[in-house]
């Protein structure tokens, strides 16, 4: 990929994405093609070229803050009080599209829906995770919040996460509206 897109180069987290495609495709060529197309999506391209598109990445964080305030307000309030900002956990989740954060079978399910629904679903999953762990997050100080967010429980259940995602009423239109504002 570095030879294909030297303007992007290698960014930590790409190997996790490549690994998902290698696990899913019959050939390395198919995996490379999928990875290349995947990384050309606006959100991923922005994060992987963070130094050149910093305002776009900051816009994603601001949009997420707005979504969090609306959809999981108690967690948002606690994060503001404790100084927990999206860049402290969301970057890792989005850059590797949950491959480092979630169990493999759950990651495949998230990817299936992400590839079907589009970019907004990556944010929907993040809100679902925060909703799922809202009781722990609301009662935790800064360090404990970050410990949980950066080391999600490895026994997270598919049904529990997708129930939490469904409980967050984020639609592609609502996501687009917030993204346009930021």
């Amino acid at each position: 990929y570095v030879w294909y897109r030297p303007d992007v180069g290698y960014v930590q987290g790409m190997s996790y994405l490549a690994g998902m495609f290698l696990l899913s495709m019959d050939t390395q060529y198919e995996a490379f093609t999928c990875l290349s197309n995947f990384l050309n999506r606006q959100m991923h391209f922005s994060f992987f070229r963070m130094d050149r598109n910093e305002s776009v990445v900051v816009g994603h964080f601001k949009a997420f803050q707005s979504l969090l305030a609306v959809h999981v307000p108690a967690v948002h309030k606690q994060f503001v009080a404790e100084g927990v900002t999206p860049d402290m956990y969301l970057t890792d989740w989005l850059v590797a599209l949950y491959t480092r954060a979630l169990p493999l079978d759950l990651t495949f399910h998230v990817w299936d829906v992400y590839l079907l629904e589009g970019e907004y679903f990556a944010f929907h999953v993040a809100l679902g995770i925060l909703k799922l762990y809202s009781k722990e997050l609301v009662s935790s100080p800064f360090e404990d919040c970050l410990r949980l967010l950066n080391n999600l429980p490895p026994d997270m259940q598919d049904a529990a996460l997708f129930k939490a995602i469904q409980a967050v009423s984020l639609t592609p239109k609502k996501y687009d509206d917030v993204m346009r504002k930021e």
Side-chain angles (χ1 to χ4, degrees), residues 49-120:
R49 293 192 51 181
M50 194 175 289
D51 59 326
R52 296 179 194 111
N53 292 313
E54 192 170 318
S55 64
V56 175
V57 172
V58 170
H60 284 296
F61 290 146
K62 286 181 181 178
F64 186 77
Q65 284 281 64
S66 297
L67 292 168
L68 183 59
V70 170
H71 296 286
V72 196
V75 171
H76 178 263
K77 182 179 177 184
Q78 177 70 5
F79 282 6
V80 169
E82 291 294 328
V84 176
T85 58
D87 59 302
M88 295 175 178
Y89 60 93
L90 193 60
T91 301
D92 185 56
W93 291 358
L94 296 179
V95 165
L97 196 60
Y98 301 101
T99 57
R100 294 174 10 176
L102 300 176
L104 186 60
D105 58 333
L106 186 49
T107 303
F108 274 114
H109 189 175
V110 165
W111 275 46
D112 285 344
V113 180
Y114 173 81
L115 292 170
L116 178 66
E117 297 287 330
E119 183 177 288
Y120 99 94

Side-chain angles (χ1 to χ4, degrees), residues 167-178:
V168 174
S169 60
L170 181 63
T171 64
K173 182 177 179 349
K174 288 179 185 177
Y175 167 78
D176 289 341
D177 290 347
V178 170

Side-chain angles (χ1 to χ4, degrees), residues 118-180:
E119 183 177 288
Y120 99 94
F121 190 70
F123 288 80
H124 204 169
V125 172
L127 293 169
I129 290 170
L130 296 175
K131 186 156 194 78
L132 180 62
Y133 293 105
S134 61
K135 288 180 185 168
E136 294 91 332
L137 293 167
V138 167
S139 62
S140 296
F142 177 85
E143 297 82 13
D144 293 343
C145 286
L146 286 185
R147 189 175 303 111
L148 174 62
L149 296 171
N150 290 308
N151 300 290
L152 294 173
D155 61 347
M156 186 187 304
Q157 298 297 306
D158 190 281
L161 176 59
F162 275 84
K163 184 177 179 182
I165 291 168
Q166 289 175 340
V168 174
S169 60
L170 181 63
T171 64
K173 182 177 179 349
K174 288 179 185 177
Y175 167 78
D176 289 341
D177 290 347
V178 170
M179 287 302 293
R180 272 195 283 282

Side-chain angles (χ1 to χ4, degrees), residues 5-22:
R5 291 299 306 263
D7 59 320
V8 176
Y10 174 78
V11 177
Q12 193 171 17
M14 281 183 183
S15 60
Y16 290 91
L17 301 174
M20 288 292 285
F21 288 117
L22 287 167

